Amino acid sequence: MNSSSNANSAAPAAKKARATKPARGKAPTDRRTGSRRLAEEHGLVVGVDIGGSNLRVALADIQGKVLEKWSTSTRATSSPDMVIAQIVQGIDSLLRQSSSSRCALLSVGAGAPGVTDAKAGVVLATSYLKGWRGVPFQHLLESALGVPAAVENDVRLAALGEHSMGAARGVDDFVFLAIGTGIAAGIFANGKLIRGINCTAGEIGYMYVPGATEEPTKSGAPGSLEGMIGGDNIRLQWSKACNADTRLHNLTATEIFARASAGDPMAKSVLDRSAQLLAYAVYNISLVLNSSLFVLGGGIGVSMPLRDATERVLEQHNEPSRPRLVISSLGTDAQLNGAIRLALITAKTHSKRRV
């Protein structure tokens, strides 16, 4: 993306303002072209990650450096209007912490957990937020904040974050796999995010692989792959395996995989099954996309025992080529970093339009 153009003309006061470096995030309120250019060069952007239970907001400078973070729960406030109010509250809090004002804000990028039409700025459907169907979230953000906004699926934002500053930096063909309670992929091909005609590209939780259930997926139910290696099913497998010892029933998937690495045979059987199914999914995706890299993220995907076990399965399936598996370098901040990157792109795009 190109940066904003030079101002056409500016009054002496504006020239004086350009000669003096402003305090962090302090953009002048003057509406003239020169002052606007100064605001764009020293302004701030906001990244928002909307989860099923938590909302995270980050304030960053125009280079993408995170200055402040804020978070809150969405468990009791998940309606679109209430989430918008929380975002506004978070942004105002961050601006106060950084001694900045609303006039310094250039743009907002937000990620939502569900099928999202990024071009229209609409969250089409999500099972994680009640009542979210056909929500014009971009418009709601812009109306509340008075700055350009952009909305994207949260897993695609994680891929954008890894591409811009994480494990896939400089890699134009890769897949980010978010593995947690659900499973989904953010796909980069030829340096661009792939969304698909109905904005559902990457919904690999519905993929059928050997060993997974072959029953058609019912509306609202997990897909075949997700139903086998999503977090809930991994814990269910573990509970069945150690039925006699109820003290171990509440272990998380990553704790189960850690026990497998320590030599627990029951945990190893759960890990091996999950790794085999994941390896099949990775192999099949790589055959279609010929991606050179798969980045594993999400609460379960960052498990090193899972990565290593999956790698061992893939070693047996290396024709015509075997993709490289790495753990996300951004971890839980992948979505938030992607949202900041989206906000930066949005700010530059609107700056170019004003030229």
Side-chain angles (χ1 to χ4, degrees):
M1 292 287 179
N2 296 325
S3 60
S4 59
S5 67
N6 293 330
N8 295 325
S9 62
K15 292 180 180 178
K16 183 178 179 180
R18 285 199 301 271
T20 304
K21 185 177 181 180
R24 183 177 73 181
K26 289 289 187 179
T29 58
D30 194 306
R31 295 295 182 183
R32 287 168 293 188
T33 306
S35 296
R36 185 171 62 198
R37 178 173 180 264
L38 184 61
E40 289 167 354
E41 290 177 349
H42 300 281
L44 302 170
V45 299
V46 165
V48 179
D49 176 34
I50 307 166
S53 58
N54 291 291
L55 169 71
R56 298 186 299 159
V57 183
L59 184 71
D61 63 22
I62 203 63
Q63 283 75 43
K65 179 183 177 182
V66 176
L67 306 176
E68 309 284 353
K69 291 182 180 181
W70 180 91
S71 64
T72 190
S73 172
T74 57
R75 290 186 184 276
T77 57
S78 61
S79 73
D81 288 341
M82 296 180 79
V83 170
I84 288 289
Q86 287 181 307
I87 291 172
V88 172
Q89 177 189 355
I91 290 174
D92 287 342
S93 175
L94 294 176
L95 289 172
R96 286 194 299 270
Q97 290 177 44
S98 65
S99 300
S100 304
S101 63
R102 278 277 193 99
C103 64
L105 188 61
L106 299 178
S107 62
V108 177
V115 180
T116 302
D117 185 338
K119 187 175 181 179
V122 175
V123 179
L124 300 175
T126 173
S127 59
Y128 296 96
L129 298 167
K130 293 182 180 179
W132 284 57
R133 183 170 292 275
V135 177
F137 204 64
Q138 178 180 322
H139 173 72
L140 294 177
L141 284 170
E142 291 177 340
S143 297
L145 296 166
V147 296
V151 180
E152 182 58 274
N153 166 266
D154 60 346
V155 177
R156 292 196 191 101
L157 276 191
L160 184 60
E162 294 290 348
H163 184 255
S164 61
M165 61 186 72
R169 188 170 185 175
V171 181
D172 285 343
D173 294 270
F174 77 96
V175 176
F176 176 87
L177 292 179
I179 308 170
T181 302
I183 300 173
I187 303 166
F188 258 80
N190 298 323
K192 296 181 179 180
L193 275 171
I194 302 300
R195 298 181 177 90
I197 191 65
N198 295 316
C199 308
T200 59
E203 294 291 341
I204 65 166
Y206 294 95
M207 181 180 289
Y208 290 94
V209 297
T213 178
E214 297 180 6
E215 295 181 8
T217 302
K218 297 179 181 179
S219 178
S224 176
L225 182 63
E226 181 177 312
M228 300 299 288
I229 62 171
D232 290 343
N233 189 268
I234 290 173
R235 288 191 293 273
L236 178 61
Q237 293 176 50
W238 171 247
S239 295
K240 291 179 178 179
C242 62
N243 187 50
D245 193 345
T246 57
R247 296 171 302 171
L248 301 176
H249 282 193
N250 292 325
L251 294 183
T252 65
T254 52
E255 290 171 336
I256 295 166
F257 294 161
R259 288 181 67 91
S261 292
D264 186 316
M266 291 186 297
K268 186 176 184 303
S269 68
V270 176
L271 172 61
D272 287 347
R273 180 172 178 270
S274 299
Q276 185 171 52
L277 294 172
L278 178 58
Y280 288 158
V282 168
Y283 181 68
N284 288 338
I285 295 169
S286 70
L287 289 176
V288 176
L289 299 176
N290 192 29
S291 302
S292 62
L293 178 69
F294 281 73
V295 180
L296 302 181
I300 298 174
V302 295
S303 165
M304 187 59 73
L306 177 63
R307 191 214 75 90
D308 292 344
T310 304
E311 187 78 55
R312 287 193 291 271
V313 178
L314 285 172
E315 288 174 356
Q316 305 169 38
H317 304 277
N318 55 12
E319 293 295 337
S321 63
R322 180 160 58 93
R324 187 163 58 99
L325 287 183
V326 299
I327 298 292
S328 164
S329 63
L330 300 178
T332 57
D333 282 337
Q335 287 91 339
L336 206 51
N337 279 293
I340 291 169
R341 178 60 181 161
L342 180 62
L344 291 170
I345 293 170
T346 302
K348 291 181 179 180
T349 299
H350 282 263
S351 174
K352 287 167 63 179
R353 288 175 181 173
R354 288 195 294 263
V355 176

